[in-house]
Amino acid sequence: MPRTPKVLVIGLDGALLSRIEDAGAPHLAALMAAGLTAPSRIEPHAPTLSGPGWATVLTGVWPDKHHVRDNTFSGGRFAEYPDFLSRASTAAPGLNTCAVTSWAPLAETVFSAKVRTRVATPRAEYDAGTTSRVVAELRDGAPDALFVQLDGIDHAGHEHGAASRQYLEAIRGADAHVGQLVAAVGARPADEDWLVMVTADHGHTDTGGHGGPSPQESRTFLIAVGGGLPPGSVRDDVRMPDVAACALAHLGIALDPAWGLDGRPLHTPAATR
């Protein structure tokens, strides 16, 4: 019997892959060993800010299409280029979609009302609350596609810089949350075929901050497990918009060329990417 495809996308705001490797983050390391690790760079024309970064990840198009240039989201063309959960819900109205974010504008602005569950976690709960809500959904609900954004790494980057002990501690804290989420997926029924993806919206400077064109600010990555991806594989041809395209493809949703997506599923041959 074919298994039912499901998707969990975990966003680690402001996380640098190199510092994840330095931090000794066991759960993220286990995901890298079990699947694909793909370091990448934000395109030169795209701002290294959270608004444009997450808009690109979630819609599958670069800022020249979605028009988000800063964290106000003003001018965003989400009606023309909706988030992947909204696209999934439109294509398959029976899907149970869920977005829970520690940074409120994502749940409140980017995701449309077509997403069944949208939660901007209260600031007092922060990443622990975001994680517990998603774990509860995985444990007690019947979700098909979820997005969760954790904010603590970015906060530490702004306060202390990416070269700091505090930034590494924030990565370890996020890693513990990732472990809870992955464990909740692992406890789901065996007839479910989960694709788990972990990604970031931008990097950070050693001294703290982002928004400029430096290599550290422009770095991002994708860690992906499931969907037949080879364990321990590494690729350099994956880009931010591929996350949305890969999520939709795994759910069995045909990618319409009229959508104008910049992303491609991970199994697309490199020559056509």
Side-chain angles (χ1 to χ4, degrees):
M1 289 288 292
R3 295 189 298 160
T4 304
K6 309 271 186 176
V7 171
L8 170 64
V9 179
I10 304 171
L12 301 182
D13 208 296
L16 283 164
L17 181 61
S18 62
R19 298 300 275 159
I20 288 174
E21 293 166 342
D22 292 340
H27 301 291
L28 289 164
L31 290 176
M32 287 187 270
L36 168 70
T37 303
S40 70
R41 298 286 293 276
I42 298 173
E43 294 290 297
H45 66 274
T48 58
L49 297 169
S50 290
W54 288 127
T56 295
V57 168
L58 296 172
T59 64
V61 299
W62 290 108
D64 61 337
K65 292 180 180 177
H66 63 59
H67 284 196
V68 176
R69 306 299 304 182
D70 56 34
N71 289 351
T72 70
F73 293 94
S74 87
R77 300 169 70 193
F78 297 122
E80 186 173 356
Y81 298 104
D83 65 275
F84 77 92
L85 293 180
S86 294
R87 282 206 189 276
S89 295
T90 300
L95 289 180
N96 185 346
T97 53
C98 174
V100 185
T101 70
S102 292
W103 190 44
L106 291 181
E108 296 172 346
T109 304
V110 179
F111 292 99
S112 79
K114 292 180 180 179
V115 179
R116 184 171 297 184
T117 302
R118 294 175 295 163
V119 178
T121 303
R123 183 71 179 180
E125 297 180 21
Y126 207 42
D127 287 351
T130 296
T131 302
S132 65
R133 288 168 187 269
V134 177
V135 167
E137 179 70 17
L138 287 164
R139 182 188 64 231
D140 303 328
D144 295 296
L146 307 96
F147 174 76
V148 51
Q149 179 261 353
L150 302 176
D151 205 54
I153 298 172
D154 186 58
H155 179 76
H158 281 292
E159 291 291 317
H160 306 284
S164 68
R165 169 183 54 82
Q166 292 90 341
Y167 187 82
L168 292 179
E169 289 174 351
I171 289 173
R172 294 184 193 108
D175 182 71
H177 294 314
V178 169
Q180 294 177 53
L181 295 167
V182 171
V185 167
R188 297 285 306 169
D191 62 355
E192 296 179 351
D193 177 17
W194 281 89
L195 172 65
V196 177
M197 293 185 281
V198 183
T199 191
D201 52 340
H202 55 72
H204 257 285
T205 64
D206 279 350
T207 55
H210 56 89
S214 74
Q216 264 196 296
E217 293 162 276
S218 302
R219 287 184 183 132
T220 183
F221 65 90
L222 176 65
I223 300 167
V225 177
L229 294 168
S233 55
V234 178
R235 284 171 51 179
D236 62 4
D237 65 329
V238 178
R239 300 294 179 263
M240 294 174 80
D242 295 342
V243 174
C246 193
L248 291 167
H250 183 74
L251 292 169
I253 295 167
L255 304 185
D256 188 340
W259 294 347
L261 297 185
D262 294 322
R264 297 292 181 270
L266 295 176
H267 291 296
T268 302
T272 64
R273 293 175 60 78

